[in-house]
Amino acid sequence: MSSLLSVRDLKVGFGPRPESNEVVHGVSFDLAPGETLAIVGESGSGKSVTSMAVNRLIDFGGGRITSGSTAFTRADGSTIDLARAEERQLEGIRGREIGMIFQEPMTSLNPVLSIGTQIEEVFRIQFAMSGAEAKTAAREALERVRIPDAARRLTYAPHQLSGGMLQRVMIAIALASNPRLLIADEPTTALDVTIQAQIMGLLSEMKRETGTGMIFITHDIGLVAGFADRVMVMQQGEVVEQGMLDAVLDNPQHDYTKHLLNAVPHFSDGRSVRHDMQRDEGSRKVLEVEDLTVRFPVRAGLLKRQTGNVHAVEGVGFDLMQGETLGIVGESGSGKSTTARAILDLVRPTKGRIRAEGLAGAVSDKPVQMVFQNPNASLNPRLTVKQLLAEPLIAVRRRIDAEAVSRMEMLLDRVGLPADSLARYPHEFSGGQRQRLCIARALMLNPSILVLDEAVSALDVSVQAKVLDLLIDLQNEFGLAYLFVTHDMAVVERIAHRIAVVYAGQIVEIGPTSEVLANPRHDYTRQLIKAVPSLDRRHSDYGIDLTEIPSLVRPMGWEPDAPRYESAGEGHLVRAGA
Amino acid sequence: MSLFRDLLRHPSGRIGLIIVLVFLLAAIAGKAGLSPFDPLAQDRLARLQAPSASHLFGTDMFGRDVLSRLMVGVAQSFIVSFFSVAVATLAGTVLGLTAAWYGGLWDGIVMRLMDVLLAFPAILLALLIIAIMGPSGWTSILAIAIVYTPIFTRVVRGPALSLKRRDFVDAARSFGSSRRYIMSRHLALNLVAPLTVQITLALAWALITEAGLSFLGLGTQPPQASLGLMLADARNLMEMAPWLLLVPAVALSFAVLGFNLLGDALRDLLDPKTRRALA
Amino acid sequence: MPYPLKRLLAFPLVMFGVSVFVFIAIRLVPGDAITAMLGTESGLLTPAQREALTAYFGLDQNIFVQFWRWLSGVVQGDFGISTTYGQPVLRVIFDHFSLTLELAVLSMLLSLVIGLPAGIYAATHKDRPGDLAVRVVAMLGQSTPGFVVGLLLIFSLSVFFGVLPQMGSFVPFWQDPLGNLSQMILPALTLGTAFAAAVIRVSRSAMLDILSEDYVRTARSKGLSRRRVIWRHALPNALIPLVTLSGVEFGYLLGGAVLVEQIFALPGLGRVVLDAIQQRDYALVQGTILFIAFNFMVVNLLVDLAYAALDPRIRFETK
């Protein structure tokens, strides 16, 4: 077998003394032409550093290859050790023989240059094309990644396109020169799940078409199940396991691989749902939402007259029992977060009714509390843990007495934080610990309902699993009801008793988790489930579906028809006619 | 005081801190009457003497000791700078914070007013105010304060607006915390860092402005000493008595340098973006 | 609404505010308005003359009527009569403004020509000796007040070369370009020092920020050379904060001209302002300051437009 890339004992360090600050400790792997290698790991595993060491972009990020070799077979059959190549040689290889796409499409394109200029550049630099020739080539490159109306889109500035579109532009750039190797560094992590499916579909098609070899970096082992030929698992700068995809998935050897496969939430079409709560006569309703509608005015013109509304949330209704979790699932712009925020009165509903009840027998000033997505942002960095935990109490004018402090200590202990945390500041904790802190804070007033807005989305996958377990324990212990807002189907499958799927501001399907996930009735739910990566879908491809979410902006006075729902089984409702 | 320790470890922070402290000590000593000579005492027999053991920085055309005048001059410059920046900080913080929080009409009024003030080049605005009120040290304070108020208003309003949208403010609102609590706890506390940096840098500018106004004869009035006045006096004597020019010129530049270095170091240490880069 | 249009619409509003401010400011001068208008010469008036003047200028009418009359005068170019020059204020302004404008533009050009390459050099050689040297120079330039630079320049010239810059009279550029430039170069340097230092610092730090942006990484992944990454991808982005800086600094240059013209004895508008204040020639103070503010605002408007040209995000966004 001829090898495209052969990496041997690669070590990478950072800073002025890279030897003593090493983050990749001797990685070796091979890649055959046309083969796809997935590098899987969590943050800090060194997976991105490894990939960027291959085309030596790491040089510009303050990193240096301290030892090892990366032998790359060029198009003309010669072999070059990229680890020792001159910058001038590398410039001829990057973009021509090695293309790369990155995690954040929104920031990966130059904001002041048009899309066209940035694509043309590859043809100008790498193929010495000029003017009209480069322009035509750029248009063809855009058409190749299925961007409609390519000629006009070439003149667009990056901020005029959506994240999914931009990632397709990035793919167009990376594949412009039909490179022999494509490095994709978490190319779909910042995107919605249906967009992710589009991009994955596009990448597999491109792979077939061009026969490019690929290194695909991801934290989600499920994502590459239907995509990669081989898998390499990294942890803390070391390769802990590598092998053929099937071998690694079916018969993992290393504990960490087993952990990633088993402990981490993976989507399984509604087979691993909770059964610890059943609605019955005795269930106590703690939250009832009826016809919730939130519209934001759209203003235009010189006098900023209101010309219409963004119908962010439209006629949403559901209820929630004590001890129950309702998962609200949707993609960005679906109105799921706005729904959550409306319940907390963080945005004012245009109409609708929200009724929340406290725990039976408990004194609760604010029965609904919220945990936000990003624990770093939701904890004021200049306050101590004690001051942070005191905040809900101060808000309802309670004194911070010995009883309050002992409740703080109890809750810290309950969420698994050390007892001496009270005097410390948020930055002294890890991301997962900070989210535990946020949960403790939300429980200070003994609420009956927790609204969890993407509460585990910012965490590493193995930390996610632990926080989910904690949430389940707390729910059972305190009889809490959760409103769990998320885009992540694998997570919601693990924690929700019931699921509401929202699309374009409306609930399209609601029902018991196992029912909705295993037996989806609405087109959008089906599409969403089809897009979710899972370990089962090995070697099954993502299709390319390029539908875009409809605009939510409507003219003044526009009123939607009242939603009609059809029953699809016990407690399972599907929106009709839409 | 971990910030203080960090400053001492930061290369330019250390130098800046030392410079500022030296000038501060000299100024205090000057104000306390600890200068080697009476800064106002004229000595016709000792006019325009070059630096010597008895007059370290020489004497001026009235035979006054330059070092002593420098000490009280620095004190005068510092007093004007400190007071003007203090007033500007206070006014700017209140205006910026309330504008950001209440938004709407109040925000519009405040910011348009600041736009009007910013439409004047800084020194000209100061000159206009001095033209109205007549030159004096106090007028300088007021003039410089008015010039810097819009800058502080913007420095506060910008971050306050973005803080207002931060999750921890939403979290506080979700508990039902009062506006006043959120403003004082979450906004003001997080504005301390950018304000500290801005205050330090504004002090540097204020020193320059004060000296410039005095140099033009529109700030501190003789026979009081100030750096700008000393420079103005030296203009026609610079060839005959270069120390008269060089001493206040170097002193002024160093004082400004000290605050600039300190401000840069504080920015490095307090701005989370650079903080991460340093770590 | 597109950003540039928004700025264009705000312009007359702020200009109006500026006029109100200046109008009120002059009314605040201790003593009555005749004194304010005529300055020291008002002392020579008899009570009857004073009354006649009061009626003539409409000072017996209410403040709004007065403001309206004054403003409509200003709009038609009637800023009143300068008592020190015995000429219409606008005439005095036009006689002296070209020098100040040339000074400001020249020092701005000098600063950009020196500062931008230095800043880019420092950013691309971060933490190496060259960067350190540039940073020290910038720090010193930022810390030395312009008029001190001017004094030191004059001092060094006279001590080391025994020459003094030509002062007092002024040779317009169109009469003798070389003579004009040789006369203006020192004042321009003096005025430009602080701005050059600011240009260095802003371009350096902007460049550093940009070089660590994702899109620069993308550019490199396309195989672009170091040069092309810097000039084609980083520079256009670095120019955005520089344009902002230039707008703000133009005001400082116009203001700083007061000191520089004083030191080099140049008969520019800054000198006129200063004399007007010292002579209590209030009509002239009012007129010149309003005029300079107007120019400063026009420059800032141009900056906003340049901004939109440089940054498509602003061109299309409403905010």
Side-chain angles (χ1 to χ4, degrees):
Chain A
M1 175 188 93
S2 71
S3 158
L4 173 64
L5 180 71
S6 174
V7 176
R8 285 290 166 274
D9 195 32
L10 184 74
K11 294 183 177 168
V12 185
F14 278 86
R17 285 185 304 139
E19 286 85 3
S20 58
N21 188 10
E22 198 176 272
V23 297
V24 172
H25 319 290
V27 167
S28 303
F29 64 88
D30 285 287
L31 189 70
E35 190 183 36
T36 298
L37 169 74
I39 306 184
V40 181
E42 295 179 89
S43 51
S45 63
K47 57 187 193 302
S48 288
V49 174
T50 305
S51 71
M52 289 209 285
V54 170
N55 62 359
R56 292 270 301 278
L57 280 184
I58 200 74
D59 295 18
F60 302 100
R64 215 162 76 210
I65 296 176
T66 52
S67 82
S69 65
T70 47
F72 177 70
T73 310
R74 301 193 62 170
D76 59 10
S78 65
T79 304
I80 179 174
D81 182 3
L82 295 175
R84 273 173 202 80
E86 297 286 320
E87 178 61 22
R88 189 167 287 273
Q89 285 176 297
L90 290 168
E91 281 167 12
I93 290 176
R94 289 190 203 120
R96 174 152 200 163
E97 298 191 41
I98 303 181
M100 185 155 185
I101 42 182
F102 303 91
Q103 176 170 351
E104 292 285 347
M106 302 298 235
T107 56
S108 291
L109 287 162
N110 196 327
V112 305
L113 300 179
S114 74
I115 303 288
T117 312
Q118 298 186 61
I119 304 177
E120 279 170 41
E121 204 170 21
V122 185
F123 296 103
R124 285 172 194 276
I125 300 292
Q126 299 293 1
F127 298 99
M129 285 189 197
S130 61
E133 202 186 357
K135 190 156 272 170
T136 312
R139 204 195 64 230
E140 285 165 4
L142 265 197
E143 281 164 353
R144 201 157 82 154
V145 293
R146 308 284 188 82
I147 289 188
D149 203 3
R152 195 163 54 89
R153 290 271 162 66
L154 284 176
T155 63
Y156 278 31
H159 75 275
Q160 292 173 282
L161 294 177
S162 68
M165 283 281 203
L166 288 177
Q167 198 60 301
R168 283 194 252 159
V169 172
M170 281 297 295
I171 294 174
I173 290 175
L175 295 180
S177 56
N178 288 324
R180 292 164 53 75
L181 174 62
L182 178 67
I183 303 173
D185 187 357
E186 304 237 19
T188 61
T189 306
L191 304 173
D192 269 329
V193 58
T194 52
I195 310 293
Q196 164 168 290
Q198 288 175 14
I199 297 293
M200 294 303 287
L202 188 64
L203 279 175
S204 359
E205 192 185 276
M206 292 285 143
K207 204 169 62 169
R208 270 198 308 276
E209 226 174 72
T210 62
T212 176
M214 196 185 301
I215 298 178
F216 192 98
I217 291 100
T218 182
H219 65 277
D220 182 358
I221 203 166
L223 181 62
V224 288
F227 190 75
D229 301 306
R230 288 195 306 120
V231 180
M232 176 165 105
V233 181
M234 288 188 71
Q235 187 187 22
Q236 288 168 354
E238 316 245 14
V239 176
V240 297
E241 181 162 3
Q242 62 174 312
M244 298 307 286
L245 179 80
D246 291 327
V248 174
L249 294 193
D250 294 335
N251 191 15
Q253 299 299 311
H254 194 275
D255 283 345
Y256 181 66
T257 316
K258 289 179 192 158
H259 168 79
L260 281 184
L261 285 169
N262 302 322
V264 162
H266 291 291
F267 187 64
S268 63
D269 294 317
R271 272 179 280 120
S272 50
V273 297
R274 289 171 70 186
H275 296 288
D276 55 352
M277 191 271 173
Q278 292 296 322
R279 285 188 169 208
D280 55 37
E281 254 73 299
S283 299
R284 196 164 152 268
K285 195 179 276 185
V286 286
L287 179 69
E288 191 168 14
V289 174
E290 275 172 53
D291 193 28
L292 180 66
T293 298
V294 184
R295 293 172 191 165
F296 300 110
V298 177
R299 297 177 193 279
L302 297 186
L303 299 171
K304 298 199 179 165
R305 243 160 20 112
Q306 187 178 348
T307 56
N309 282 304
V310 178
H311 290 243
V313 176
E314 196 59 61
V316 162
F318 54 82
D319 51 17
L320 188 59
M321 304 292 166
Q322 182 167 346
E324 185 184 54
T325 303
L326 173 67
I328 300 206
V329 186
E331 298 185 276
S332 39
S334 63
K336 59 185 192 304
S337 281
T338 309
T339 305
R341 295 167 65 84
I343 289 167
L344 266 297
D345 206 24
L346 292 176
V347 293
R348 182 135 306 160
T350 309
K351 59 179 186 190
R353 231 163 54 81
I354 299 164
R355 199 178 53 80
E357 261 175 40
L359 285 177
V363 189
S364 183
D365 304 272
K366 293 269 300 177
V368 194
Q369 294 285 330
M370 184 154 171
V371 176
F372 294 80
Q373 169 169 8
N374 189 343
N376 305 341
S378 57
L379 295 170
N380 187 339
R382 312 225 171 254
L383 298 180
T384 63
V385 169
K386 186 175 175 186
Q387 288 170 316
L388 288 167
L389 292 181
E391 213 178 333
L393 298 180
I394 294 170
V396 296
R397 298 173 198 289
R398 288 237 211 114
R399 273 186 310 141
I400 309 303
D401 48 16
E403 193 193 334
V405 174
S406 75
R407 180 164 176 84
M408 292 177 190
E409 284 164 350
M410 183 276 284
L411 284 171
L412 284 178
D413 177 59
R414 219 27 227 90
V415 300
L417 289 175
D420 63 351
S421 301
L422 280 182
R424 288 156 64 180
Y425 286 89
H427 70 260
E428 297 173 55
F429 298 90
S430 70
Q433 287 178 316
R434 276 179 234 172
Q435 198 58 302
R436 286 163 192 267
L437 206 52
C438 290
I439 294 169
R441 178 172 65 173
L443 294 177
M444 277 307 290
L445 287 179
N446 210 3
S448 56
I449 304 152
L450 273 197
V451 175
L452 301 144
D453 187 6
E454 300 276 12
V456 299
S457 303
L459 306 175
D460 257 336
V461 281
S462 46
V463 181
Q464 264 185 7
K466 291 189 191 127
V467 173
L468 285 180
D469 287 343
L470 170 69
L471 284 172
I472 292 173
D473 287 350
L474 291 172
Q475 180 163 48
N476 293 334
E477 182 176 338
F478 296 109
L480 294 165
Y482 290 157
L483 195 65
F484 198 94
V485 178
T486 185
H487 71 282
D488 190 331
M489 301 293 277
V491 164
V492 82
E493 184 181 22
R494 285 268 240 147
I495 192 156
H497 299 105
R498 290 163 57 75
I499 285 188
V501 180
V502 288
Y503 178 70
Q506 298 175 325
I507 292 182
V508 296
E509 185 160 0
I510 184 168
T513 306
S514 53
E515 268 296 298
V516 173
L517 294 187
N519 198 8
R521 294 302 179 85
H522 194 273
D523 281 348
Y524 177 70
T525 317
R526 290 199 184 117
Q527 192 191 335
L528 195 61
I529 288 172
K530 221 178 99 207
V532 179
S534 81
L535 290 172
D536 305 331
R537 58 183 313 155
R538 228 166 297 170
H539 306 304
S540 79
D541 245 336
Y542 294 93
I544 302 187
D545 176 0
L546 298 175
T547 28
E548 300 253 321
I549 296 171
S551 167
L552 300 177
V553 179
R554 302 286 185 181
M556 291 294 286
W558 186 83
E559 281 294 331
D561 299 332
R564 272 191 312 113
Y565 290 95
E566 286 165 1
S567 173
E570 170 123 32
H572 186 172
L573 296 174
V574 183
R575 202 181 134 102
Chain B
M1 280 300 279
S2 72
L3 181 62
F4 189 71
R5 257 204 321 275
D6 289 345
L7 267 182
L8 284 180
R9 238 180 280 138
H10 191 283
S12 63
R14 190 166 47 220
I15 302 172
L17 203 62
I18 292 171
I19 294 176
V20 168
L21 283 179
V22 167
F23 274 95
L24 213 55
L25 283 178
I28 292 170
K31 266 286 171 211
L34 294 174
S35 54
F37 292 87
D38 178 353
L40 296 180
Q42 306 191 356
D43 180 355
R44 282 170 197 286
L45 297 178
R47 285 159 57 168
L48 293 178
Q49 286 191 358
S52 65
S54 59
H55 295 285
L56 210 52
F57 289 153
T59 61
D60 70 2
M61 57 189 158
F62 299 110
R64 297 175 296 197
D65 179 49
V66 172
L67 175 61
S68 308
R69 289 188 66 73
L70 189 70
M71 286 166 72
V72 292
V74 167
Q76 173 67 18
S77 299
F78 271 35
I79 288 171
V80 171
S81 304
F82 283 138
F83 274 104
S84 54
V85 171
V87 172
T89 308
L90 200 69
T93 307
V94 170
L95 290 174
L97 208 54
T98 52
W101 186 261
Y102 293 103
L105 188 64
W106 174 241
D107 184 33
I109 292 173
V110 169
M111 292 325 284
R112 291 300 81 73
L113 214 65
M114 295 303 130
D115 279 350
V116 168
L117 288 181
L118 283 170
F120 298 96
I123 291 197
L124 280 179
L125 182 58
L127 287 180
L128 180 65
I129 293 158
I130 291 165
I132 299 163
M133 304 190 51
S136 79
W138 289 107
T139 312
S140 299
I141 291 179
L142 185 74
I144 297 174
I146 291 179
V147 167
Y148 287 117
T149 297
I151 295 173
F152 276 99
T153 307
R154 288 194 164 180
V155 163
V156 168
R157 179 176 172 270
L161 271 182
S162 75
L163 283 169
K164 197 178 148 187
R165 283 191 293 266
R166 288 276 290 277
D167 280 356
F168 59 75
V169 171
D170 271 347
R173 287 174 58 206
S174 80
F175 309 137
S177 295
S178 66
R179 283 181 167 197
R180 242 187 53 201
Y181 178 83
I182 293 176
M183 271 217 256
S184 64
R185 257 279 137 102
H186 292 299
L187 298 192
L189 209 55
N190 282 289
L191 287 169
V192 169
L195 269 178
T196 312
V197 174
Q198 195 61 39
I199 286 172
T200 320
L201 296 177
L203 281 171
W205 296 332
L207 280 175
I208 294 180
T209 313
E210 192 279 334
L213 292 176
S214 299
F215 178 79
L216 293 174
L218 297 171
T220 308
Q221 296 297 304
Q224 291 296 313
S226 100
L227 295 178
L229 272 178
M230 291 173 78
L231 285 165
D233 289 345
R235 264 185 83 187
N236 299 321
L237 299 165
M238 58 169 79
E239 279 171 272
M240 209 190 308
W243 62 90
L244 288 183
L245 170 70
L246 295 178
V247 168
V250 170
L252 176 58
S253 302
F254 256 81
V256 175
L257 180 69
F259 283 107
N260 276 333
L261 287 173
L262 204 57
D264 269 15
L266 284 169
R267 194 195 327 251
D268 279 354
L269 295 171
L270 293 174
D271 182 351
K273 207 167 95 190
T274 50
R275 200 190 185 113
R276 247 182 286 120
L278 286 175
Chain C
M1 186 183 344
Y3 178 77
L5 188 63
K6 209 164 153 179
R7 299 299 303 179
L8 209 60
L9 286 172
F11 184 78
L13 204 75
V14 175
M15 201 57 229
F16 180 76
V18 168
S19 323
V20 174
F21 188 86
V22 172
F23 178 80
I24 294 175
I26 295 300
R27 288 294 177 285
L28 288 176
V29 171
D32 62 310
I34 297 293
T35 317
M37 237 175 281
L38 294 184
T40 43
E41 287 172 27
S42 67
L44 307 171
L45 296 173
T46 65
Q49 281 173 316
R50 192 171 271 273
E51 213 163 283
L53 275 175
T54 306
Y56 176 75
F57 285 117
L59 294 173
D60 43 359
Q61 282 164 308
N62 82 38
I63 189 94
F64 295 103
V65 177
Q66 287 183 44
F67 175 69
W68 182 247
R69 288 180 54 150
W70 175 76
L71 191 67
S72 38
V74 165
V75 169
Q76 290 160 38
D78 176 14
F79 286 72
I81 305 285
S82 157
T83 48
T84 35
Y85 287 83
Q87 284 176 331
V89 166
L90 199 62
R91 182 72 205 282
V92 179
I93 291 175
F94 281 139
D95 283 349
H96 296 84
F97 184 58
S98 60
L99 189 152
T100 304
L101 188 66
E102 186 192 339
L103 189 59
V105 170
L106 203 58
S107 37
M108 185 169 249
L109 285 179
L110 269 176
S111 317
L112 287 171
V113 166
I114 297 169
L116 187 59
I120 293 174
Y121 176 84
T124 50
H125 295 76
K126 187 174 187 282
D127 292 334
R128 282 188 251 167
D131 175 34
L132 205 68
V134 170
R135 283 164 69 189
V136 168
V137 169
M139 188 36 106
L140 290 178
Q142 186 193 6
S143 301
T144 314
F147 67 100
V148 173
V149 174
L151 291 174
L152 293 177
L153 275 176
I154 294 173
F155 174 70
S156 340
L157 270 187
S158 70
V159 169
F160 298 116
F161 301 101
V163 290
L164 276 177
Q166 186 199 351
M167 296 199 201
S169 61
F170 168 65
V171 194
F173 185 77
W174 53 87
Q175 279 177 20
D176 175 7
L178 274 182
N180 168 277
L181 285 181
S182 71
Q183 188 181 18
M184 295 295 276
I185 190 78
L186 282 186
L189 271 177
T190 301
L191 190 54
T193 307
F195 183 38
V199 171
I200 293 179
R201 291 165 60 85
V202 168
S203 54
R204 178 181 178 271
S205 77
M207 209 65 187
L208 276 181
D209 282 351
I210 290 162
L211 286 177
S212 64
E213 288 280 353
D214 287 352
Y215 56 80
V216 166
R217 190 178 58 182
T218 305
R220 287 181 174 134
S221 79
K222 294 197 282 191
L224 305 193
S225 65
R226 199 186 153 76
R227 265 180 109 77
R228 195 172 165 92
V229 167
I230 289 169
W231 292 102
R232 186 85 182 97
H233 283 265
L235 190 62
N237 285 286
L239 286 180
I240 296 168
L242 263 188
V243 166
T244 316
L245 176 77
S246 301
V248 175
E249 288 287 336
F250 191 75
Y252 286 95
L253 294 180
L254 288 176
V258 176
L259 281 148
V260 173
E261 286 169 6
Q262 173 75 4
I263 291 170
F264 289 94
L266 290 170
L269 202 55
R271 266 305 273 293
V272 172
V273 177
L274 202 61
D275 289 345
I277 289 173
Q278 273 153 356
Q279 302 295 324
R280 301 183 155 266
D281 184 346
Y282 288 108
L284 193 55
V285 172
Q286 203 170 28
T288 43
I289 288 187
L290 204 58
F291 183 79
I292 292 176
F294 175 74
N295 277 284
F296 183 29
M297 287 183 59
V298 169
V299 167
N300 270 311
L301 189 68
L302 294 177
V303 160
D304 282 331
L305 299 181
Y307 220 52
L310 276 171
D311 191 344
R313 282 166 296 186
I314 291 175
R315 200 156 45 215
F316 296 107
E317 231 125 272
T318 47
K319 205 152 172 111

